Amino acid sequence: MSLHASISSLFTNSKSLILHHHHHHHSHTFTHSNFKPFFFFPFLSRTNQIHSSPIMALSNSDTARAPPPVPLPTPPLTKFKIGLCQLSVTPDKDRNIAHARNAIQEAATKGAKLVLLPEIWNSPYSNDSFPIYAEDIDAGGDASPSTAMLSQLSHNLKITIVGGSIPERSEGRLYNTCCVFGTDGKIKAKHRKIHLFDIDIPGKITFIESKTLSAGETPTIVDTEVGRIGIGICYDIRFPELAMIYAARGAHLLCYPGAFNMTTGPLHWELLQRARATDNQLYVATCSPARDAGSGYVAWGHSTLVGPFGEILATTEHEEAIIVAEIDYSILEQRRTNLPVTKQRRGDLYQLVDFQRLNSH
């Protein structure tokens, strides 16, 4: 089947195939080694497709996404508070878990219906530490005390938790993994960091995450009681294609737990958040660990909530902090009407392909 025919058939069935994997604990639908979850390329010549009536029924803007974009769903609520818990992290895992528990309870007391934790909040951020602190999330219970705590709290407090990330051990591999918990205490989604942090800026920062960690295989978007949320972890924020896929799947909010460093933090952390929010006209929330100047990896901090026009709605410096701020989804449609880029794309010139959705039909 040609790509165009695939798009046509998918469009006619879009209601039935949208994000059918939301409620699975694993989003690892495709396992071939060469599977790539997304790709961006200039659109192929359409001269031989000109008489294809299903394609002709789509606007240029719709065909700039394959499959065509999902309309923004009506969220389960319009306004709510989000809590960003910028936590200090120590080598004492039990302390880290107890500390996160207290922060989540405080955020909930302040009215947060959604709480976001930092990247690697239960362990020092180092290749030496990941294997030691890793947990078997699928086994749960005593094999994963960090997620057991998040499950218990989300249920007890009746809140949604985007549980930052922790090192995960699964089938002999290690992953940097974010779990999303619903108000029933169950894991609604699990995102394994797709883009590993392998960088080398001589004299500044060198870190090769792939020495110990394996990359995740799929984008992760999940319907929660506070809207449709796309998940990325730290380095994932550098890839606009992932955020574009989430937007095309109808995300209201993107959450990125992340620990940028003292080199890339001041340069790119805020810029990337504002870019992802502005490009896709949705909310972006990030959560970093607090800075510990004495640790092997020094985090930038500056956890932030950004609105759909790229405006900074709430942020903090590098110390420990709990930020509670309001999200108002009613402005998403308003912003998209004010500045209608979603209807102005040129599908005759370029296209973003979401292979997972395309292949899932």
Side-chain angles (χ1 to χ4, degrees):
M1 186 188 285
S2 74
L3 179 59
H4 297 290
S6 302
I7 298 166
S8 305
S9 66
L10 276 160
F11 186 60
T12 58
N13 294 286
S14 61
K15 283 275 193 284
S16 63
L17 63 89
I18 294 168
L19 310 178
H20 67 280
H21 64 292
H22 278 182
H23 300 291
H24 294 299
H25 287 206
H26 302 284
S27 334
H28 294 56
T29 316
F30 306 109
T31 53
H32 333 166
S33 58
N34 63 348
F35 169 68
K36 297 180 178 62
F38 49 81
F39 194 59
F40 184 75
F41 60 85
F43 200 28
L44 305 170
S45 163
R46 299 179 127 189
T47 51
N48 60 344
Q49 296 291 334
I50 209 74
H51 301 298
S52 170
S53 55
I55 287 292
M56 292 300 287
L58 299 176
S59 68
N60 258 350
S61 192
D62 284 335
T63 58
R65 300 287 181 267
V70 175
L72 190 68
T74 302
L77 77 181
T78 304
K79 286 185 183 179
F80 67 95
K81 288 180 179 173
I82 184 173
L84 312 176
C85 297
Q86 183 164 294
L87 305 173
S88 63
V89 178
T90 72
D92 183 340
K93 189 179 187 179
D94 291 340
R95 175 266 177 204
N96 294 336
I97 293 172
H99 193 58
R101 176 195 292 275
N102 292 338
I104 294 166
Q105 288 172 326
E106 184 179 334
T109 301
K110 291 179 176 176
K113 292 295 180 194
L114 169 64
V115 173
L116 178 59
L117 294 185
E119 181 183 26
I120 309 290
W121 57 268
N122 70 345
S123 157
Y125 190 92
S126 75
N127 279 316
D128 291 340
S129 298
F130 297 151
I132 298 166
Y133 290 74
E135 301 183 6
D136 185 339
I137 293 170
D138 295 339
D142 291 341
S144 185
S146 301
T147 60
M149 179 273 288
L150 297 178
S151 169
Q152 181 191 45
L153 270 194
S154 59
H155 177 258
N156 290 351
L157 299 171
K158 296 291 181 281
I159 60 173
T160 300
I161 297 176
V162 176
S165 78
I166 65 169
E168 177 196 12
R169 188 181 300 283
S170 178
E171 297 177 354
R173 293 187 169 207
L174 294 174
Y175 299 93
N176 186 340
T177 300
C178 174
C179 295
V180 180
F181 294 84
T183 55
D184 59 1
K186 292 180 180 167
I187 293 181
K188 295 179 78 72
K190 187 169 80 170
H191 178 75
R192 290 169 168 168
K193 189 176 190 174
I194 293 174
H195 306 93
L196 295 182
F197 178 57
D198 289 2
I199 73 163
D200 182 14
I201 304 174
K204 297 282 189 182
I205 174 78
T206 299
F207 201 99
I208 310 297
E209 218 172 24
S210 62
K211 278 183 179 174
T212 54
L213 301 179
S214 297
E217 293 295 322
T218 56
T220 308
I221 188 166
V222 57
D223 281 321
T224 74
E225 293 188 34
V226 288
R228 187 170 291 177
I229 303 176
I231 306 293
I233 298 173
C234 199
Y235 206 59
D236 285 337
I237 200 172
R238 288 192 178 275
F239 297 84
E241 299 91 341
L242 180 61
M244 290 158 71
I245 278 176
Y246 290 153
R249 293 186 186 192
H252 301 107
L253 164 69
L254 306 183
C255 287
Y256 293 97
F260 269 47
N261 55 72
M262 299 298 292
T263 300
T264 60
L267 282 169
H268 300 147
W269 177 241
E270 182 183 297
L271 172 70
L272 289 165
Q273 295 173 67
R274 297 183 68 194
R276 299 297 82 87
T278 306
D279 286 348
N280 299 292
Q281 297 181 315
L282 39 64
Y283 282 91
V284 169
T286 62
C287 191
S288 166
R291 189 180 307 167
D292 175 1
S295 67
Y297 182 93
V298 183
W300 173 239
H302 294 80
S303 303
T304 301
L305 176 67
V306 183
F309 255 14
E311 69 276 32
I312 301 287
L313 297 172
T315 191
T316 188
E317 294 293 321
H318 60 272
E319 305 287 351
E320 274 209 306
I322 297 172
I323 304 167
V324 176
E326 187 174 76
I327 285 178
D328 180 358
Y329 286 145
S330 68
I331 69 170
L332 293 177
E333 292 285 13
Q334 182 187 329
R335 294 308 191 205
R336 294 175 187 206
T337 303
N338 297 156
L339 212 162
V341 291
T342 55
K343 295 181 171 60
Q344 296 167 328
R345 295 192 178 106
R346 290 288 301 273
D348 55 330
L349 299 179
Y350 48 75
Q351 183 179 60
L352 179 81
V353 181
D354 181 343
F355 283 121
Q356 188 180 42
R357 271 182 72 212
L358 200 63
N359 294 335
S360 66
H361 178 52

